Amino acid sequence: MTKFHAVMIDETGCEFGVSVTARSREAAFDKLREDYPESRCDQLESPADTRKREQRMYRQAERDY
């Protein structure tokens, strides 16, 4: 099981964060749709996704500065 973090957009356009534990990315999307039918998932990250995004950001910062 993996703990995912999602950025959701509600029916009024406001963002809110949600954590969900699921066996796969697809299962996480299914659970979010089930738990928040009025909202949409704007971003879904696993800890590995977060690590990769941060590493890219730091590499870019090193090149730029």
Side-chain angles (χ1 to χ4, degrees):
M1 298 289 270
T2 301
K3 186 173 185 176
F4 293 90
H5 179 75
V7 175
M8 304 291 290
I9 309 290
D10 71 11
E11 64 276 8
T12 66
C14 293
E15 290 184 355
F16 63 98
V18 177
S19 291
V20 60
T21 302
R23 294 186 189 283
S24 67
R25 187 174 195 79
E26 294 78 23
F29 275 118
D30 291 343
K31 178 118 175 81
L32 291 167
R33 276 191 293 273
E34 179 183 315
D35 291 350
Y36 302 95
E38 71 287 349
S39 302
R40 68 178 172 85
C41 182
D42 188 56
Q43 181 181 3
L44 183 67
E45 281 192 351
S46 69
D49 296 332
T50 302
R51 251 188 325 278
K52 288 177 191 173
R53 179 177 50 79
E54 289 175 346
Q55 287 170 349
R56 282 192 307 268
M57 180 183 65
Y58 292 133
R59 281 194 303 271
Q60 184 65 42
E62 286 174 358
R63 285 191 295 270
D64 291 347
Y65 297 103

